[in-house]
Amino acid sequence: MRDAVSIETKRHTASGDVKRVTEEMPVVQSKLVMGFAIGTTPEERLAAKLMSVVLGGTPSSKLFMNVREKQSLCYYCAARHDTPKNVMLVQSGVETKDLDRTEEAILKELNDMKKGNITDDEILFAKLAMCNSYNAVADSAASMETWYLSGMLQGKLHTPEEYAECIMNITKDEIVSAAERVTIRLSSSFVYNSSRSCTPKRSRSGLESCPARVVAPIKVKRGRSSRMELAD
């Protein structure tokens, strides 16, 4: 029998300037991925997950409605919470010229949440979306296996129904509290984008290739022990 894989998150002090690397990639649009650390306790992580859904987890979320629809800054914009690591990633597909504006707009939506600017409808729609996903776990044996295996690895076993009930009981104040403890560390964010000064070259496959900029990727060491290092 193989030993269980251990998961450890190690936080370190940011080194200062953001490291930038240029690579050649066959891309026709830019991609912005922002990494956030969340300083909540394990007991508060459901609130952190709900906070991320309110921010960018549904078509009625702040990022979708404001950054994508109203400002037309990106093709897609979504937030995802990684429960074991307690980190949040915001991903968006954007035009290169809109990279800076998109980053500012995403941070503005997060700051608005920290100030308590969240409507009852935004919270309700996020809760219903999460409960629907929990209710769908029983639709297949594979999803049930994944659910309970994940719970075992995290050291806490709860049914999807129990999680859905907990989600519906989370208050706005708890969501705001989770948002207040979200911080972006530039050394934990990374951007893949076509170069601003690039003249695209068409390859044999028909794809246009431009240099891509990578800004300080999150470092993940693979092996028997999976470790993610985040700047604090």
Side-chain angles (χ1 to χ4, degrees):
M1 180 180 296
R2 298 178 60 183
D3 296 333
V5 175
S6 62
I7 301 176
E8 177 187 359
T9 298
K10 181 180 180 181
R11 302 188 183 278
H12 61 87
T13 303
S15 58
D17 295 338
V18 176
K19 181 179 179 182
R20 299 178 185 274
V21 179
T22 299
E23 298 178 351
E24 291 288 338
M25 296 181 64
V27 295
V28 294
Q29 81 174 43
S30 303
K31 183 170 184 179
L32 172 66
V33 183
M34 302 167 67
F36 298 83
I38 307 178
T40 52
T41 65
E43 292 74 21
E44 299 169 315
R45 289 189 180 180
L46 265 184
K49 181 178 284 292
L50 177 57
M51 178 273 301
S52 73
V53 176
V54 173
L55 177 64
T58 71
S60 59
S61 66
K62 288 182 172 295
L63 295 183
F64 190 97
M65 294 299 296
N66 297 328
V67 180
R68 182 186 185 276
E69 293 294 300
K70 292 182 180 179
Q71 301 183 57
S72 300
L73 285 174
C74 50
Y75 304 100
Y76 67 90
C77 193
R80 181 180 65 84
H81 178 258
D82 186 315
T83 302
K85 296 294 184 183
N86 201 27
V87 297
M88 181 175 68
L89 297 179
V90 174
Q91 304 186 50
S92 57
V94 302
E95 294 285 352
T96 304
K97 62 182 178 61
D98 292 328
L99 273 171
D100 294 337
R101 290 179 58 203
T102 302
E103 182 175 326
E104 292 174 2
I106 291 171
L107 293 176
K108 179 185 181 301
E109 296 302 323
L110 177 59
N111 287 332
D112 282 348
M113 292 186 65
K114 294 181 179 182
K115 297 174 183 177
N117 296 331
I118 309 171
T119 67
D120 292 339
D121 282 345
E122 288 173 333
I123 296 174
L124 177 60
F125 294 154
K127 286 182 175 181
L128 293 177
M130 293 184 69
C131 289
N132 284 340
S133 66
Y134 293 145
N135 292 335
V137 170
D139 289 350
S140 71
S143 60
M144 291 182 66
E145 178 184 343
T146 300
W147 174 273
Y148 287 105
L149 178 59
S150 175
M152 292 175 62
L153 291 175
Q154 296 179 48
K156 50 184 180 182
L157 279 176
H158 298 285
T159 66
E161 292 77 15
E162 290 173 334
Y163 264 76
E165 182 178 356
C166 290
I167 285 293
M168 294 304 296
N169 290 328
I170 293 175
T171 66
K172 176 180 176 179
D173 288 341
E174 291 175 301
I175 297 172
V176 172
S177 177
E180 289 174 340
R181 281 174 281 178
V182 174
T183 54
I184 181 172
R185 299 307 187 201
L186 291 180
S187 60
S188 299
S189 64
F190 53 100
V191 180
Y192 291 92
N193 70 280
S194 55
S195 172
R196 299 175 189 269
S197 59
C198 167
T199 301
K201 298 179 180 179
R202 189 169 296 276
S203 65
R204 292 181 180 178
S205 62
L207 294 176
E208 293 181 342
S209 178
C210 287
R213 183 181 66 188
V214 182
V215 181
I218 293 176
K219 296 179 289 185
V220 181
K221 299 179 179 179
R222 301 185 181 278
R224 295 186 64 81
S225 176
S226 176
R227 172 179 297 178
M228 177 183 292
E229 298 184 358
L230 288 176
D232 227 352

